[in-house]
Amino acid sequence: MEDSNRCPNPSIHEVSQPSRRAVLRGAAASAFLAPLAGLGLAGCATTGGGATGTALGFKSVPISNADTVTVPEGYTAQVIAPWGEPVGLSGDNPAYRSDASNSAAEQEAQFGMHHDGIHFYAQSATSGLLVMNHEYTDDGLLHAGGMAPWTAEKVRKAQAAHGVSICEVALKDGRWDVVRPSPWARRITARTPMAVSGPAAGHVLMQTAADPSGRRVLGTFNNCGSGITPWGTYLTCEENFVNYFKGPDQPDAHQARWGLRKGDPAGYRWHEHDERFDAGRHPNELNRHGWVVEIDPHNPSSTPVKRTALGRAAHEGATVAVTRDGRAVVYMGEDARFEYIYKFVSAGRIQAGGAAANATLLDTGTLYVARFDADGRGRWIALTHGEGPLTAANGFADQGEVLIKSRQASDRLGATKMDRPEWIAVDKQGWVYCTLTNNSNRGGKDQLGVDAANPRANNGMGHILRWKEDGDHDGLGFQWNHFVLAGDPLNERAEARGNVKGDAFACPDGLWVDARGVLWIQTDMSTSAMGKGELAGLAHNAMLAADPATGEIRRFLTGPAGCEITGATGTPDGRTMFINIQHPGESPSERSDPAAPTRFSNWPDKGPHRPRSATVVIRRVDGGVIGA
């Protein structure tokens, strides 16, 4: 048994850049040792992951229908970095206009819409970089007059409101604020040039008329979950990319397997003014999205890179662990009904020297897909060309095609089809957790029935599954179990009650393990279902804290009307937490009426102002560690 008085192994969040403690063991570790010990960033908390008593030292907040952020007694919540505020580009700080009249060029210098995954990179005890995703847009809020008329300028503005924002933040007089201007400030959008690397780079299925090389893509969009690397970079994940494309009258089998349908069902209408989003005219453009993109936030002139060795998917996140011999392991969920859980194991070891020294580390290695067996054991199956059914005869000409068609490859390999696997987190004991947010189709007519890993029909509540690898994170076998089945014990239907030990919740999505080992759970009940049926008793979306050692779960925060709670990160000393409030005031149709933008919410500005996604800074009044 591990000595509970020893400092536990650091999490990846404690070592996310070369200036902080290393997760590596062996020769490469010394290059990452932090020079920040004198700043109070290198110590560990005295309570670790519930090893002695409960790790949860706060009083639960009640469920809420209030249009505000509620935190426990003794805590404060401060709003920073809302959509439309300038990120701090030098000499270019266009003010947000509450009537949505900002231009596309101005939006390119402002925080995007619908904040999602986020990470804090410490530069000192009181400053650092915040990097955050912007998943999608609500055109009813983004434009004055909404989509009427629909113009090339509005398409460009919508594309500018997607992607990633990088800003500098600093603590002064008890408040965190965005530093403007900042040499690190940057916007990455749906029009930013991206490099393509790995086995699919240059592949015939990646080549287009605009890019016959198949190695340079414009933009990243629908950026959902995220990840961080020990060498200081940020991983942003392209999720529901297919929604932006107009499908041909008869999508082929490959396009259909990725959800492409005839016409423009999602109604983004980008193809009307940017023809690369017409999949009938440019079918390979679809293949150039759905990747994990690596960004170096410390180098504003660097080119983002789409890492194809990690596979193509509707990526929710990319969580990095490290093997004992220093190889990177990236865990990834695919947020779609009946899709898969993946992991990538790098061939090489992490090197000293930060991002430059590890610029190609994620380009070579093995991608695996998970199979969960009924006996509580599981197996990782390699997506390797020429092995098993992954041959040219079955439609996989080479490794690049296997990765571009990772869904079809996983189908062939007999992997377990899951209930929308989303965020993944690794605790201090080596358990890997994955949120399965829901799947109302499970067990329905002409749909897959329940299985051991996905045990509930009409799974509107979701669950959290966990596994521990055999030996190390590169193990091919694992043991697994259910950490919790979400639900409300007051529901009439037994399958919707769950087995939560503590505060009820539904639709787990965001997931983060903090430096003490506490598992933070964020929920995403859709606006079309929130407050209705079996979700009626749960009100707004929430963030909860779980003690992995005891299974106890407490509600820590509730959000404003219509929002999703997402993204979590914190300062190394554990005294500040940053989370994101996404799409407050969202309409059940997910697109607002431009004539009534405040119909469902006016958070955070209140008054006659339209709702805005924003980052919330959480601190204790007494300056203590969050959650302790």
Side-chain angles (χ1 to χ4, degrees):
M1 179 179 294
E2 184 177 74
D3 183 353
S4 61
N5 292 317
R6 284 170 41 196
C7 184
N9 291 332
S11 75
I12 193 72
H13 298 276
E14 296 173 82
V15 292
S16 61
Q17 60 271 340
S19 62
R20 288 161 63 186
R21 284 192 308 165
V23 74
L24 297 180
R25 304 172 190 174
S30 60
F32 292 94
L33 292 176
L36 300 181
L39 299 173
L41 302 185
C44 67
T46 57
T47 303
T52 55
T54 182
L56 312 180
F58 61 91
K59 181 181 178 182
S60 296
V61 300
I63 60 172
S64 174
N65 281 305
D67 190 27
T68 190
V69 172
T70 302
V71 292
E73 296 175 6
Y75 285 79
T76 62
Q78 174 201 350
V79 175
I80 64 170
W83 156 55
E85 296 297 330
V87 296
L89 301 178
S90 297
D92 191 3
N93 289 297
Y96 167 72
R97 300 176 191 166
S98 61
D99 62 356
S101 62
N102 285 106
S103 67
E106 289 171 330
Q107 178 62 76
E108 288 172 351
Q110 298 169 324
F111 288 100
M113 218 177 201
H114 290 4
H115 301 25
D116 209 309
I118 187 172
H119 186 66
F120 175 76
Y121 294 83
Q123 293 180 314
S124 74
T126 58
S127 67
L129 303 182
L130 271 184
V131 187
M132 71 181 75
N133 291 345
H134 303 293
E135 185 177 4
Y136 64 105
T137 54
D138 179 342
D139 291 293
L141 290 178
L142 181 63
H143 315 289
M147 301 183 81
W150 192 234
T151 64
E153 167 73 6
K154 287 183 177 180
V155 169
R156 183 159 183 160
K157 183 178 181 182
Q159 293 175 339
H162 283 71
V164 175
S165 289
I166 301 171
C167 69
E168 182 182 0
V169 293
L171 176 66
K172 183 177 181 181
D173 299 328
R175 291 179 58 86
W176 286 87
D177 286 303
V178 177
V179 176
R180 301 184 182 95
S182 169
W184 291 283
R186 188 179 184 185
R187 279 304 323 281
I188 296 165
T189 74
R191 298 173 62 88
T192 301
M194 311 260 153
V196 182
S197 69
H203 197 279
V204 64
L205 293 175
M206 298 283 281
Q207 297 170 4
T208 65
D211 174 34
S213 73
R215 294 178 178 273
R216 193 164 181 83
V217 175
L218 278 185
T220 183
F221 46 87
N222 211 268
N223 302 84
C224 194
S226 59
I228 56 173
T229 69
W231 51 93
T233 59
Y234 181 80
L235 303 178
T236 185
C237 301
E238 300 174 341
E239 191 189 17
N240 294 313
F241 61 93
V242 74
N243 290 343
Y244 298 82
F245 289 84
K246 177 190 176 185
D249 289 343
Q250 292 185 321
D252 63 29
H254 170 55
Q255 293 171 330
R257 181 62 184 88
W258 289 88
L260 188 68
R261 291 178 286 171
K262 175 183 176 180
D264 183 19
Y268 280 106
R269 299 175 61 185
W270 286 8
H271 68 281
E272 295 180 22
H273 298 285
D274 189 342
E275 72 170 44
R276 66 190 171 114
F277 291 96
D278 186 334
R281 300 178 68 181
H282 302 283
N284 281 357
E285 186 67 29
L286 188 74
N287 298 329
R288 293 149 62 87
H289 305 281
W291 304 101
V292 174
V293 183
E294 186 173 11
I295 298 168
D296 183 358
H298 309 285
N299 181 1
S301 64
S302 61
T303 300
V305 182
K306 298 201 176 192
R307 300 292 184 189
T308 67
L310 275 62
R312 181 164 166 263
H315 286 291
E316 178 72 22
T319 300
V320 182
V322 181
T323 63
R324 295 185 185 95
D325 65 358
R327 286 172 294 142
V329 177
V330 187
Y331 291 102
M332 297 164 284
E334 181 168 22
D335 180 14
R337 293 183 179 95
F338 303 115
E339 298 301 344
Y340 302 108
I341 294 173
Y342 298 94
K343 83 171 178 182
F344 168 84
V345 181
S346 70
R349 293 178 174 85
I350 301 170
Q351 301 298 310
N358 295 281
T360 61
L361 184 68
L362 297 182
D363 288 340
T364 56
T366 304
L367 181 68
Y368 300 89
V369 65
R371 187 188 74 209
F372 295 86
D373 295 327
D375 62 357
R377 295 285 301 166
R379 186 81 181 166
W380 291 106
I381 311 169
L383 278 77
T384 302
H385 181 256
E387 294 186 3
L390 305 185
T391 63
N394 288 325
F396 305 99
D398 49 33
Q399 184 63 18
E401 189 160 2
V402 168
L403 296 169
I404 292 168
K405 297 180 177 179
S406 56
R407 282 185 178 177
Q408 295 97 314
S410 298
D411 293 343
R412 287 274 187 176
L413 293 171
T416 303
K417 293 179 175 289
M418 308 297 290
D419 285 352
R420 293 183 57 196
E422 302 221 34
W423 290 68
I424 294 176
V426 183
D427 75 10
K428 291 182 176 295
Q429 287 70 47
W431 284 95
V432 185
Y433 297 75
C434 180
T435 51
L436 288 299
T437 198
N438 59 47
N439 185 356
S440 58
N441 289 352
R442 175 75 66 175
K445 183 179 179 181
D446 300 325
Q447 301 285 344
L448 284 179
V450 300
D451 58 37
N454 305 277
R456 295 189 286 182
N458 185 18
N459 181 16
M461 293 291 162
H463 54 285
I464 300 176
L465 180 145
R466 66 178 179 177
W467 64 89
K468 182 173 280 191
E469 309 282 12
D470 293 346
D472 202 351
H473 285 291
D474 63 341
L476 296 182
F478 55 87
Q479 59 176 309
W480 69 269
N481 59 48
H482 292 108
F483 179 66
V484 64
L485 301 180
D488 183 345
L490 299 181
N491 279 328
E492 180 178 350
R493 188 169 67 100
E495 289 182 308
R497 293 174 192 157
N499 63 0
V500 182
K501 185 179 178 181
D503 293 330
F505 69 96
C507 306
D509 189 342
L511 205 60
W512 179 57
V513 174
D514 70 13
R516 295 192 305 128
V518 174
L519 181 70
W520 295 89
I521 304 165
Q522 299 169 315
T523 72
D524 182 21
M525 299 177 286
S526 71
T527 50
S528 60
M530 197 183 304
K532 301 175 183 177
E534 293 174 339
L535 301 179
L538 299 177
H540 292 175
N541 279 308
M543 182 166 73
L544 307 98
D547 184 340
T550 66
E552 179 190 5
I553 297 176
R554 296 186 191 178
R555 189 181 302 105
F556 178 80
L557 174 150
T558 58
C563 84
E564 170 188 349
I565 311 296
T566 185
T569 186
T571 54
D573 61 10
R575 299 176 191 276
T576 299
M577 176 186 286
F578 303 91
I579 68 158
N580 279 329
I581 300 295
Q582 185 186 104
H583 61 69
E586 182 176 71
S587 160
S589 70
E590 299 186 3
R591 186 166 283 130
S592 296
D593 178 357
T598 62
R599 178 180 176 187
F600 298 102
S601 175
N602 59 3
W603 187 90
D605 299 327
K606 299 301 182 180
H609 303 291
R610 62 191 63 214
R612 295 198 277 170
S613 296
T615 299
V616 173
V617 185
I618 301 165
R619 289 172 59 81
R620 276 173 51 165
V621 174
D622 65 5
V625 173
I626 303 296

